[in-house]
Amino acid sequence: MSTLSTRMVAMISIFLAGAMACQAGSGATGTVPAAAVDQPKAATAAKQTATVAGGCFWGIQAVFQHVKGVLSATSGYSGGTVKNPDYETVSSGSTGHAESVQIVYDPSQVTYGELLRVFFSVAHDPTQLNRQDPDEGTQYRSVIFYGNDEQKKIAEAYIAQLDQAKVYRHKIVTQVVPLQAFYPAEGYHQNFATLHPNHPYIVYNDAPKVANLRKEFPEMYTGK
């Protein structure tokens, strides 16, 4: 089944159930606080990389493309055992990959901890295990793929901070694992929300996330 028909089936099931899928926001009971453990902003411009997964990569990519200091956000696949996977095999759940987004950012404008705050607060719900409504399966799991020990430390400390503060009604299930490889997704997945703003999946699932980013973090939002 193609990507568009897969998403459309999910949307049809939602309409038949009379519910709206994957509301904007993360399921938090209140404001998601800043990370207590973070790296300071760099003194000069540079490029660093962060890789995360949290449901359909269309929405994750769309959110981070609107974050100040993000230079690029690419949809792809990480965390599996097959080299050069494609959408069809990843969607089967047999490769172990998660739909992921690799973010290249300027650490003099935005920190890793600030990116994770966006990830936890508006990009997805970190308490959903192996799913993000309306998508279900391990390929939609919540993951932070760290690239070095500092990223691991910040991610693990932040999750512990949020759990201890009971920011969410349920425990965070986000995995924190080393990045082994990132494979960019097919071209038709890139910039999907920007290119197809009227697609039902984008309208009901992803556009509200970008709107929430603008509302919750106006100082970080860019309309590019």
Side-chain angles (χ1 to χ4, degrees):
M1 185 178 293
S2 70
T3 178
L4 296 184
S5 59
T6 298
R7 305 298 188 207
M8 286 304 296
V9 167
M11 286 305 302
I12 291 171
S13 67
I14 292 163
F15 287 129
L16 291 176
M20 183 182 293
C22 197
Q23 299 293 323
S26 61
T29 58
T31 301
V32 176
V37 177
D38 196 4
Q39 55 191 182
K41 281 190 171 69
T44 57
K47 289 184 179 181
Q48 293 185 9
T49 301
T51 307
V52 297
C56 174
F57 42 28
W58 294 347
I60 301 290
Q61 182 187 47
V63 166
F64 283 105
Q65 285 177 327
H66 287 85
V67 173
K68 182 181 179 180
V70 169
L71 305 177
S72 66
T74 304
S75 292
Y77 314 109
S78 294
T81 58
V82 176
K83 292 183 178 180
N84 302 310
D86 57 39
Y87 176 77
E88 300 298 335
T89 55
V90 170
S91 295
S92 72
S94 62
T95 70
H97 289 93
E99 291 195 10
S100 308
V101 172
Q102 189 158 88
I103 304 152
V104 178
Y105 65 99
D106 180 351
S108 71
Q109 297 188 54
V110 63
T111 67
Y112 187 68
E114 289 173 334
L115 293 176
L116 293 187
R117 189 183 188 191
V118 170
F119 177 63
F120 282 121
S121 58
V122 300
H124 84 309
D125 181 347
T127 69
Q128 292 193 34
L129 181 62
N130 295 333
R131 69 172 299 140
Q132 286 290 310
D133 293 336
D135 302 309
E136 187 171 1
T138 57
Q139 65 270 32
Y140 301 112
R141 66 191 184 272
S142 175
V143 192
I144 297 170
F145 296 98
Y146 62 84
N148 53 50
D149 289 341
E150 184 178 32
Q151 289 187 350
K152 179 184 180 183
K153 179 184 69 175
I154 293 170
E156 290 181 338
Y158 198 22
I159 290 173
Q161 174 189 344
L162 297 179
D163 271 337
Q164 185 174 8
K166 299 188 184 303
V167 173
Y168 305 92
R169 295 180 181 86
H170 306 287
K171 187 177 177 62
I172 293 173
V173 297
T174 305
Q175 300 173 351
V176 179
V177 299
L179 177 67
Q180 301 294 342
F182 175 82
Y183 301 97
E186 295 82 350
Y188 61 84
H189 283 301
Q190 306 301 336
N191 308 311
F192 193 91
T194 299
L195 297 174
H196 306 281
N198 297 319
H199 189 286
Y201 188 96
I202 301 302
V203 171
Y204 286 96
N205 293 280
D206 298 334
K209 296 179 181 180
V210 176
N212 236 19
L213 171 70
R214 184 174 187 174
K215 176 184 177 182
E216 298 297 327
F217 303 103
E219 73 285 357
M220 296 180 67
Y221 178 82
T222 173
K224 66 180 180 180

